[in-house]
Amino acid sequence: IFVGLPLHKKVSISHSQLSQFRSDITYSQMVNIMIYIIHFLIKSGRVDENVIHGIDSSELSVSCNPRPLTTIKINNKNIRIYADLNADCGKRRKKRDKSEYFVGYRIHSLIAINPETGMNFPLISLISPGNHHDSLFISQIIQLSKTIGLDIKIITADEAYGDAEKNETINKEHEVTIITPPKEKVKLPEHVDKETQFVYMDNLCETPMSYLGKTEDSSHEYKCNTEPEGCMREALCHKFREIPVDSGFFGQIPNNISGVKEVKDLRKNIERSFNLLKHREGLEPVRVRSQHGLMAVATFANMANLLLEIVATRKTKKQKKDQLKLAM
């Protein structure tokens, strides 16, 4: 359809046609094709209505000389200029076989995770220079996802995305709940047990309070769980307590609520998607010389990844057994 080939005839695309298609296509058209492919992914059954979404990033090193061409000072800050003008020096997660810093870009992706199988599929991606913080892109990815019609309710992400104020704004604007691990530097509120995160009314209360939900002013509301006749302080107790949403144990959903740990654990599966995009689809090392060029390449890599996943669902059990015998 997109390259002008007739659907009623068995015609294969030539290399020249494909090259012309890739050179003429706009980013808006690529997004439209991406929506088309995501539709078939959902239709294939690989992603159902109970899917959990995740957001994460990974580094993409450029293949050019990592040393800066020159360094200039602007407002007492050193600005490095590399052979790839859009690239910059970023910090990667600690890995035994790689240096702590890299020169290149970061790919920020929204990934659909099947909670039953752990299988995950990168849906859309954004590209930034390597020194940009992950949290700057969560709002843009969610807005783009909602615009193209993706039904996102819960997103699991790492600690870098745990900005309480920003996540509350996203929750109110897009009705998306973001679940992240608690930041260690955030202190527990008073009268909250450090081990269990049980909430108590005060230091004299012995019974954990029940969680009621969130209030309109972004606080978690708790109710006294003691029977009226079983508390000597009945007449003096307020019975209700509110704890503001924070970046620690009391994020979008309190850390000890049933199901939160399972959602957080699903995030560990996301690395598979980045490994496929980098090594199978060939995103790393980066071989283009601009952020716009890499955005196009990353979008095509996403398409290829999803198409391969869709095709895999159409294989019969016999075909899979034959492939296994050949591999052995």
Side-chain angles (χ1 to χ4, degrees), residues 99-277:
S99 63
E100 187 176 356
Y101 296 93
F102 73 98
V103 174
Y105 300 88
R106 297 197 73 85
I107 179 171
H108 307 265
S109 298
L110 175 77
I111 296 171
I113 311 170
N114 187 323
E116 294 184 1
T117 64
M119 292 291 288
N120 50 91
F121 315 94
L123 302 180
I124 55 175
S125 299
L126 297 178
I127 299 294
S128 73
N131 63 340
H132 285 47
H133 196 272
D134 291 350
S135 64
L136 297 174
F137 299 91
I138 188 167
S139 181
Q140 289 91 325
I141 291 178
I142 291 174
Q143 188 170 353
L144 175 58
S145 304
K146 289 284 187 176
T147 301
I148 67 176
L150 292 176
D151 184 20
I152 303 175
K153 299 298 183 185
I154 296 177
I155 288 178
T156 178
D158 61 26
E159 190 177 321
Y161 298 91
D163 186 316
E165 185 176 347
K166 183 179 293 184
N167 291 347
E168 271 301 295
T169 301
I170 291 172
N171 182 254
K172 291 177 180 178
E173 290 181 355
H174 303 291
E175 297 182 350
V176 174
T177 299
I178 301 169
I179 297 178
T180 62
K183 293 184 177 181
E184 295 181 0
K185 64 180 182 180
V186 179
K187 294 182 179 180
L188 279 175
E190 289 184 336
H191 317 308
V192 176
D193 187 89
K194 187 176 181 180
E195 298 297 326
T196 63
Q197 293 97 56
F198 286 158
V199 177
Y200 297 89
M201 191 68 202
D202 54 34
N203 59 345
L204 298 176
C205 187
E206 297 180 352
T207 305
M209 304 182 78
S210 298
Y211 181 61
L212 297 181
K214 282 173 64 177
T215 64
E216 293 183 358
D217 63 347
S218 302
S219 294
H220 297 295
E221 187 176 16
Y222 288 83
K223 177 183 179 297
C224 179
N225 206 29
T226 307
E227 294 296 330
E229 62 276 6
C231 182
M232 298 176 60
R233 304 170 61 235
E234 165 72 14
L236 302 175
C237 183
H238 295 293
K239 299 186 183 301
F240 292 91
R241 181 183 176 187
E242 292 185 6
I243 297 178
V245 172
D246 59 24
S247 301
F249 287 104
F250 295 92
Q252 295 277 294
I253 302 177
N255 194 59
N256 62 345
I257 297 299
S258 176
V260 171
K261 182 181 183 302
E262 288 75 12
V263 172
K264 289 178 182 177
D265 289 342
L266 285 173
R267 182 178 53 85
K268 301 172 185 176
N269 296 302
I270 292 178
E271 192 64 28
R272 170 186 179 269
S273 290
F274 288 122
N275 287 335
L276 292 177
L277 287 173

Side-chain angles (χ1 to χ4, degrees), residues 10-26:
K10 189 176 181 180
V11 180
S12 299
I13 186 171
S14 66
H15 177 72
S16 60
Q17 286 175 305
L18 181 60
S19 299
Q20 188 67 33
F21 167 65
R22 291 186 63 177
S23 62
D24 289 347
I25 191 172
T26 65

Side-chain angles (χ1 to χ4, degrees), residues 44-46 308-316 320:
S44 71
R46 302 284 267 177
L308 287 170
E309 297 292 350
I310 293 170
V311 171
T313 65
R314 299 177 183 173
K315 292 178 181 177
T316 64
K320 291 180 180 179

